[in-house]
Amino acid sequence: MRTLTDIASKAPSSQASGAEPDVSEDSARAREELRGRIKGSGPLARDTEASSSRGAAGRSQAHESAIKHVTGRAAYIDDLRAPTDALHVALGLSPVAHGRLTRLGLEEVKALPGVVDVIAIADVPGHTDIGPVFPGDPIFVEDEISYVGQVLFAVAAESHRTAREAIRLAVVEIDEQPACLDPVAAAQRGEFVRPTHVQQSGDWEQALASAAHVVEGEQFVGGQEHFYLEGQACLVQPTEDEGVIVHTSNQHPSETQKLVAEVLGIPFHAVTVEVRRMGGGFGGKETQASPWACIGALITRRTGRTTRVRLPRADDMRATGKRHPFHNRYRLGIDDKGVILGGELTLIGDCGYSPDLSDAIVDRAMFHSDNAYSLGEARVTGHRARTHTASNTAFRGFGGPQGMMVIEAAMDDIARRIGEDPLTIRKRNLYRPGRQMTHYGQQVDQIALLHELIEQLETSSEYWARRRAITEFNAESPIVKRGLALTPVKFGISFTAKHLNQAGALLHVYTDGSVMINHGGTEMGQGLHTKICQVVAQELGLDTEEVRITATRTDKVPNTSPTAASSGADLNGQAARDASRKLKARLFDFAHEHLYRDQGLDREEMRLEAGHLIAGHGESERRIPWGELVQAAYLNRISLSEKGFYATPLIHYDRNTGQGRPFYYYAFGAAAAEVSVDTLTGEYQVDRVDILHDVGDSLNPAIDIGQVEGGFIQGMGWLTSEELKWNDAGRLISDGPATYKIPTYGDLPPVFNVKLMEGHPNSMASIYRSKAVGEPPFMLGMAVWSALRDALASMTDYAEAPRLDTPATPERVLLAAETLRARYTPWPLVEEEG
Ligand code: MTE
Ligand code: HPA
Ligand code: MOS
C-alpha cells in the first residue's frame, strides 16, 4: 500500500548531473498520478480503506467533501436555494481614488422598475463603521472617498441584471483630490494607518560599526490578489423576530455576527451566521467577507425578504484588499565568512486606506524578517503606510512572506560579496546552538530539525551535483542561463493577538451511535473538517466515516476566532479532543458503575478502540460494541453531548518592549528550485522543484502534501506572474483573469518532489504532536525567486546578484538581464571565430 507521501516522493529525479531532463515523460506521469488522486481512484482511495489499527488520526484520508467537490455536489453560497422573491444586490462603487462626495443622487436608481430598495450611509440604523479591529472602515462612504472601488451605495432588485443596470443611473459628484499610491512617499510624509513598531536586540549600531563588511539593499515586494475561486458572497434570510440568518463564504463567522448585529442595532443573539464551506479564502475572507453580509442584512431587515449579495469578479478585485505590497531596506554587518553580526531592517507595508489587520500583518512581517537566520544584534522597524487603495488584508503568510523576502535578498547578496555559494551562506547563518534567540526574544526550538531538514534536502535534491552542472552549462550558454536555489522557511505558529488563540467544540452522540462534531473553525478547502473528524474518531475509537461534521454556526459554538494563522486544526482539534475526552470519561464512569463493576474490571483500563469499549486484558478482556454502550448510557439517563475548549498556553508578547514569546512553536520547511532563463526575452521556466516540509507527526499526510503543493504554487505565483497594476488615477487595471495571471495547471514544475519530514514530532504538546501546515509552505516559493537571481548572477560570473523586485515577471527579469549585460558582457554576445 502506498501513501500520498510515497507518490510525491517517487516522482523521478532523473537529471542528476546536468543531463537534459525528459520533461515530457516526467510531467505526463505526474499528471496521470494527480488525475488518479483527484478521482479518488488512486492510492489515496485505497489507503482510506486501510485497517484502522493506527487509529483515525495520522492516516491519509480523502477530504471529507472530495467526491462532492469533483462531482459538483458541494454547495457553495450561490448554490443555496432561496425563495423566488429573493432580492439581488449590486454595489455602486467609487470611480475616484481620493476626494469628497458632494452629491449622491439616487432618485433615478430608485425609480427603475424592478428596483426594490436602495441604501446609503444615512439608511444605517446602527454602527456605520465596520472596522474589524480599529475603526476606519465606513460601511458606505459618508463624505471622504479613499479608493477606487469604495462602496457608495447598494441596490436591491428583483434580478441581478436590474440591480446592475440601476447602479448606472446614480448621479455621483466628487470633489477629486490627488491620490497617493506610493507607500514610500506616504511613509516619508508620516502618513500611517497605525503607529510604527520597533523590535530590537542588542547594539545594532555597534555591530555594524565593527563588521568586516556592510551589505545593504532595498526591494519592492508586490501584493497579491486572493483569487479565491468562489468570490465574496452571502445569502441573508429574515427570522420571525428582528434577526437574520446569514449564510456566507467567510473565515470569521463570529466577527460577521458582531458586525451585522451592530450595523442593525440588535443584540448579537439575534444574528446567526453559518458557513458550510468556502471555495477558497486564503485570508481574503477573514475580515473582508463582513461588509457584504452587513449590506445584505440591512436590505433583508428593511424589506423582510431574503437577499443575495454576490460580487462580480471585477468588483471583488476592486472593492476588497489584497496582500500588502512592501518596500524593504536592509543594512547588515557581516564577518569575512558572511555571518551576520547585526544591523538594521526597515519594512514599509502598504496598508491601503485603513488599518484593517495591518498592525498584526506588519508585526508578523517583522517577526519573520529573520526567516531561519540569526540576525545577531538587530533593529527591525515596521511602518504601516496609508495609500489610496482598498484596505490590504490577511493573505496566506500574513506579512510573513514579505518580511522573509528582505533577508533572503540579503543572503544572496552576502554570497556574492563573499564569493561563496548562497546555500553555504544560508547554512552558516541558520539559527544554531549559541545563536538561538530571535530579535524579539523568543528562543528558536528544534534547531536540530532545521539543520537536518536542510541537509536531507541538499542530498535528495542533488544540490551540489546540479550546481556543478549548472555552472558548466552557463559557461557554455551565452543566452539561456540556469539558476538554482535552496531556501528555508521558519514560520511562527499562533495568532500574535493572544486572545485569538482559543477554540470551542460541541460534540453530540445520537442513540444509534452516530457522532456529530461542530467546532469554531471554517472549511475553505484546507481539509480542516476532515482532520477534526479524524481527531474525534481517534478519541472515540471509531472510523472517520462514523463522525459527521456540520456547518460552522455561531449558535452552536459561540465567540470563535477566525480560521486563520494556520491554527485551525491546532486549536479546534484540541477543543474537539477535549469534548471527546470528557464524554469518554463519562461513558467510562457509567460503564464501570453499571456494566463492569461486578466483574472486577478496572476503570483505568477501559478504552475505546475499533468500535468497541474494551475493558481488561487477555482472559479478562470484555468488549461492548459502541452502539450498545451508547444505548445503555441513554437508557440510564447519561448525557451524550459535551462541549470542549482550548486556549494555547505559554504565549505572550509585549508590544511596548517588542519582546516576548509570540509563537507556541515554529514550523520549518525548505525548497530547492531550478530555473532556466532566456536572457534575451526574460522568459523563464521552472524545471525542477524539491520540497521537504515539517508538519511534526502529520494528522493526514495526503491533505498535508496537498497544502504543501498548493502553498508552494501560490507562493511561486506571487513572486513570478501575479502582477497587480493600478493606473495613475488609482484604478486597478488588472481586474480579471485575463490581465492578472495566477499559476495554472501548466505551471506545475515538470519535476516536483514533495515530501514531509519524518521522525520529528512537534516538541510542544500540540494535537497529537502535529504541526500547522496552512501557511508555511507558501514561503517555499521564495526558492524560485532566488533561483532566478542565481541565473541572472551567472551573467556577472557570480560577482553580483541583481536587484529583482517582485513579481519577477519576464519583463522585470529582462530589465535586470539588460542592465547586467550592459555592464558585464562585451559585445558581440557570441565570440567570433579566430
Ligand atoms: N487551503 C485551501 N485549499 N484554501 C484556502 O483558502 N487558506 C490558507 C491555508 N490553506 C486556504 C488553504 C490560509 S491563509 C490559512 S490561514 C489556512 O489554510 C487556514 O486553515 P487551517 O488553519 O485550518 O490550516
Ligand atoms: N494571522 C492571521 N490572522 C490574524 C492574525 C495572525 O497572526 N492575527 C489576527 N488575525
Ligand atoms: Mo490565513 S492569511 O491566516 O487566513
Side-chain angles (χ1 to χ4, degrees):
M1 179 187 67
R2 290 188 309 159
T3 66
L4 260 187
T5 323
D6 300 323
I7 310 170
S9 61
K10 73 158 277 304
S13 49
S14 58
Q15 76 288 42
S17 50
E20 279 300 317
D22 182 353
V23 170
S24 55
E25 199 189 309
D26 285 346
S27 63
R29 198 170 334 172
R31 267 159 229 201
E32 203 43 55
E33 277 169 354
L34 207 76
R35 220 170 286 138
R37 281 159 48 187
I38 290 167
K39 275 195 223 134
S41 63
L44 171 58
R46 259 178 277 141
D47 199 39
T48 312
E49 292 151 17
S51 87
S52 58
S53 58
R54 259 212 292 158
R59 281 199 298 145
S60 282
Q61 306 202 341
H63 191 286
E64 124 281 324
S65 291
I67 303 297
K68 288 188 272 183
H69 287 154
V70 294
T71 53
R73 283 187 292 119
Y76 297 89
I77 296 299
D78 230 22
D79 301 315
L80 301 179
R81 285 181 204 281
T84 46
D85 73 344
L87 295 172
H88 299 259
V89 173
L91 302 168
L93 304 180
S94 167
V96 161
H98 186 206
R100 294 180 74 81
L101 181 65
T102 52
R103 179 164 173 231
L104 183 60
L106 299 173
E107 293 70 27
E108 283 187 52
V109 182
K110 289 177 183 161
L112 188 75
V115 169
V116 175
D117 197 13
V118 180
I119 55 171
I121 190 82
D123 304 307
V124 179
H127 293 195
T128 54
D129 194 317
I130 54 171
V133 185
F134 306 101
D137 296 295
I139 181 167
F140 296 112
V141 165
E142 184 147 25
D143 58 16
E144 177 162 9
I145 291 176
S146 306
Y147 71 98
V148 176
Q150 194 168 12
V151 185
L152 304 175
F153 63 97
V155 177
E158 304 288 355
S159 77
H160 193 241
R161 174 172 300 203
T162 305
R164 286 182 68 76
E165 266 172 34
I167 290 292
R168 284 189 254 135
L169 304 175
V171 179
V172 180
E173 287 173 14
I174 297 168
D175 176 11
E176 197 171 343
Q177 289 157 26
C180 172
L181 302 169
D182 177 2
V184 180
Q188 273 158 3
R189 284 202 306 270
E191 281 281 331
F192 297 126
V193 295
R194 296 288 304 156
T196 295
H197 183 51
V198 178
Q199 295 163 341
Q200 187 169 333
S201 64
D203 189 345
W204 63 278
E205 282 171 305
Q206 172 57 27
L208 271 177
S210 62
H213 311 268
V214 172
V215 287
E216 52 191 321
E218 62 180 316
Q219 67 183 171
F220 172 79
V221 178
Q224 188 177 23
E225 161 62 33
H226 299 88
F227 230 103
Y228 23 61
L229 291 184
E230 179 192 35
Q232 301 282 359
C234 65
L235 179 74
V236 187
Q237 298 163 330
T239 61
E240 64 183 25
D241 45 37
E242 83 277 46
V244 286
I245 297 174
V246 183
H247 300 266
T248 159
S249 185
N250 197 312
Q251 290 173 245
H252 200 349
S254 284
E255 186 166 86
T256 297
Q257 175 196 25
K258 164 186 187 282
L259 292 170
V260 164
E262 288 176 349
V263 162
L264 294 176
I266 60 177
F268 292 11
H269 69 210
V271 178
T272 299
V273 176
E274 171 169 331
V275 179
R276 172 56 185 93
R277 64 170 65 77
M278 282 160 268
F282 305 113
K285 296 169 182 171
E286 180 172 341
T287 59
Q288 304 212 3
S290 286
W292 329 114
C294 291
I295 290 170
L298 280 167
I299 290 165
T300 289
R301 272 325 336 161
R302 285 161 59 87
T303 60
R305 288 165 69 169
T306 296
T307 305
R308 273 188 194 287
V309 188
R310 165 167 55 85
L311 268 55
R313 184 63 65 174
D315 281 7
D316 194 317
M317 291 182 75
R318 289 207 185 92
T320 66
K322 312 181 185 315
R323 179 183 297 284
H324 292 55
F326 266 70
H327 186 278
N328 297 332
R329 281 196 305 264
Y330 74 89
R331 203 150 64 92
L332 293 171
I334 55 174
D335 68 14
D336 47 21
K337 295 242 163 245
V339 173
I340 298 173
L341 305 173
E344 184 187 22
L345 305 176
T346 309
L347 316 180
I348 302 173
D350 179 348
C351 302
Y353 88 99
S354 76
D356 186 82
L357 297 171
S358 294
D359 235 8
I361 288 166
V362 177
D363 280 1
R364 192 173 273 273
M366 298 167 68
F367 286 126
H368 290 84
S369 59
D370 57 347
N371 191 9
Y373 315 107
S374 166
L375 294 181
E377 307 196 53
R379 182 175 76 174
V380 178
T381 306
H383 299 295
R384 295 111 222 270
R386 183 197 302 275
T387 55
H388 291 111
T389 65
S391 194
N392 288 324
T393 193
F395 196 145
R396 207 169 193 169
F398 203 76
Q402 298 96 310
M404 287 182 193
M405 282 295 286
V406 71
I407 200 67
E408 290 304 335
M411 285 298 140
D412 291 335
D413 295 347
I414 293 170
R416 303 316 169 198
R417 172 74 69 90
I418 301 294
E420 297 236 36
D421 191 274
L423 178 56
T424 306
I425 296 299
R426 286 189 162 92
K427 286 171 68 177
R428 257 179 217 160
N429 278 290
L430 288 179
Y431 281 105
R432 54 200 180 273
R435 289 282 289 270
Q436 240 168 301
M437 187 64 86
T438 61
H439 55 286
Y440 50 88
Q442 175 160 357
Q443 285 267 124
V444 180
D445 205 2
Q446 292 195 300
I447 47 175
L449 156 63
L450 170 64
H451 287 254
E452 204 179 309
L453 188 150
I454 287 174
E455 273 151 34
Q456 276 189 27
L457 185 66
E458 199 175 338
T459 307
S460 68
S461 69
E462 304 155 298
Y463 182 89
W464 294 106
R466 286 159 74 204
R467 168 60 72 204
R468 278 191 298 279
I470 287 169
T471 311
E472 281 166 28
F473 173 91
N474 286 340
E476 301 295 317
S477 171
I479 307 294
V480 174
K481 298 290 187 184
R482 284 161 62 183
L484 177 67
L486 191 158
T487 58
V489 168
K490 162 184 132 289
F491 193 78
I493 303 299
S494 290
F495 286 99
T496 58
K498 182 175 167 181
H499 71 277
L500 294 177
N501 295 286
Q502 58 172 308
L506 180 65
L507 177 70
H508 298 327
V509 176
Y510 295 97
T511 50
D512 66 347
S514 66
V515 178
M516 178 181 279
I517 180 75
N518 194 275
H519 62 94
T522 56
E523 176 63 43
M524 57 193 99
Q526 85 277 38
L528 173 61
H529 284 350
T530 313
K531 288 181 173 179
I532 301 294
C533 286
Q534 288 178 271
V535 168
V536 174
Q538 171 80 36
E539 291 297 328
L540 300 183
L542 302 172
D543 279 343
T544 312
E545 295 68 36
E546 293 170 81
V547 181
R548 178 67 59 87
I549 204 142
T550 51
T552 314
R553 275 179 73 115
T554 54
D555 59 356
K556 286 199 169 170
V557 176
N559 311 323
T560 54
S561 295
T563 308
S566 305
S567 65
D570 279 18
L571 299 175
N572 297 287
Q574 294 277 24
R577 180 164 69 168
D578 180 45
S580 308
R581 291 194 167 175
K582 286 181 190 155
L583 184 68
K584 187 156 65 173
R586 192 152 64 234
L587 289 173
F588 287 173
D589 288 346
F590 160 72
H592 187 240
E593 184 77 8
H594 292 265
L595 307 176
Y596 287 133
R597 177 173 284 186
D598 51 346
Q599 300 175 32
L601 288 173
D602 190 350
R603 158 81 172 74
E604 298 312 313
E605 288 188 346
M606 287 184 187
R607 55 212 183 269
L608 291 174
E609 262 172 41
H612 288 76
L613 183 144
I614 307 177
H617 292 276
E619 286 285 278
S620 68
E621 188 184 280
R622 301 282 179 276
R623 291 174 160 247
I624 306 180
W626 168 253
E628 278 177 32
L629 172 70
V630 166
Q631 269 291 333
Y634 168 73
L635 292 173
N636 283 278
R637 300 185 297 174
I638 301 297
S639 166
L640 292 170
S641 177
E642 198 41 90
K643 67 184 166 46
F645 186 76
Y646 177 74
T648 312
L650 299 175
I651 48 177
H652 61 95
Y653 180 66
D654 181 354
R655 277 188 106 249
N656 294 316
T657 59
Q659 298 287 301
R661 187 229 171 117
F663 305 118
Y664 190 46
Y665 63 87
Y666 296 99
F668 300 98
E674 181 175 336
V675 300
S676 32
V677 177
D678 181 335
T679 60
L680 284 185
T681 64
E683 287 168 298
Y684 55 82
Q685 64 190 39
V686 179
D687 300 318
R688 170 171 169 183
V689 172
D690 295 76
I691 289 173
L692 186 55
H693 195 81
D694 156 42
V695 292
D697 283 346
S698 175
L699 285 174
N700 183 328
I703 282 179
D704 286 352
I705 289 269
Q707 285 291 295
V708 175
E709 291 173 344
F712 167 81
I713 296 286
Q714 196 172 35
M716 177 182 81
W718 166 54
L719 292 172
T720 56
S721 68
E722 298 185 36
E723 187 166 36
L724 291 163
K725 281 267 191 197
W726 287 265
N727 67 14
D728 291 343
R731 183 187 171 89
L732 182 70
I733 50 180
S734 52
D735 63 356
T739 44
Y740 184 79
K741 300 308 240 183
I742 58 172
T744 65
Y745 191 61
D747 295 307
L748 270 178
V751 182
F752 193 21
N753 300 321
V754 180
K755 276 184 80 168
L756 301 178
M757 184 78 179
E758 281 174 12
H760 289 272
N762 194 337
S763 63
M764 300 305 294
S766 61
I767 182 82
Y768 306 136
R769 302 278 167 176
S770 65
K771 285 190 182 182
V773 70
E775 293 167 290
F778 181 90
M779 286 145 276
L780 297 170
M782 293 187 304
V784 172
W785 172 78
S786 183
L788 288 170
R789 280 187 96 199
D790 185 60
L792 290 165
S794 75
M795 299 175 71
T796 73
D797 203 16
Y798 301 102
E800 191 187 322
R803 175 171 167 177
L804 186 59
D805 289 350
T806 73
T809 54
E811 190 180 3
R812 281 211 172 94
V813 170
L814 177 61
L815 287 171
E818 296 277 291
T819 310
L820 296 179
R821 191 163 10 251
R823 293 223 302 277
Y824 286 88
T825 313
W827 291 92
L829 268 174
V830 183
E831 272 176 46
E832 283 164 41
E833 295 279 314

